[in-house]
Amino acid sequence: MTGTHMIVLPGGGYAEHAAHEAEPVVDWLGDIGVRASVFRYPLRARHPEPLNALRAEIRRRRAAGAQRIGLIGFSAGGHLAGLAALGRAPRPMRRWTSPCSVTPSPRWRPRPTVRPG
């Protein structure tokens, strides 16, 4: 796998994963030519377990050849995406963890951004 890979984080209040915010979004992204997968983060877990699990998923995607990682999150998944995008990873992970963010444009399309370096 090369290029950009989007990770979809469904909502559900850290108590469940909303099915309508998972595979349908991945299918839509596939229809427009974007590789994507659903990541079901740990539920009913205390911080930082879900964040660490997402960082591990980002490392797995990078190891599989993804050059850029984007995150799309809904509700609790959006919260987790924001934590991953804005927080700094522990020192050994900085090389592998992409500072990802989904930012609104004037047309409200998600735009993954990657910090240089």
Side-chain angles (χ1 to χ4, degrees):
M1 171 190 354
T2 60
T4 301
H5 186 89
M6 297 298 289
I7 298 173
V8 178
L9 304 163
Y14 291 105
E16 62 183 356
H17 293 122
H20 67 281
E21 297 171 350
E23 282 76 13
V25 177
V26 169
D27 293 342
W28 173 76
L29 287 166
D31 289 345
I32 63 170
V34 178
R35 290 182 185 210
S37 62
V38 174
F39 179 67
R40 289 184 169 77
Y41 47 87
L43 299 175
R44 295 178 180 85
R46 294 182 57 99
H47 178 73
E49 188 178 341
L51 180 57
N52 289 338
L54 177 57
R55 287 176 172 159
E57 176 67 8
I58 292 170
R59 286 193 309 274
R60 280 191 293 277
R61 294 291 167 186
R62 288 232 183 261
Q67 296 167 347
R68 296 185 309 163
I69 303 288
L71 303 175
I72 297 177
F74 300 89
S75 190
H79 176 256
L80 184 57
L83 289 175
L86 299 175
R88 292 191 59 106
R91 223 214 233 257
M93 293 172 63
R94 284 193 186 143
R95 182 172 149 222
W96 296 102
T97 303
S98 169
C100 307
S101 66
V102 178
T103 59
S105 73
R107 292 184 179 174
W108 292 94
R109 283 183 285 163
R111 287 187 306 180
T113 58
V114 177
R115 257 186 244 163

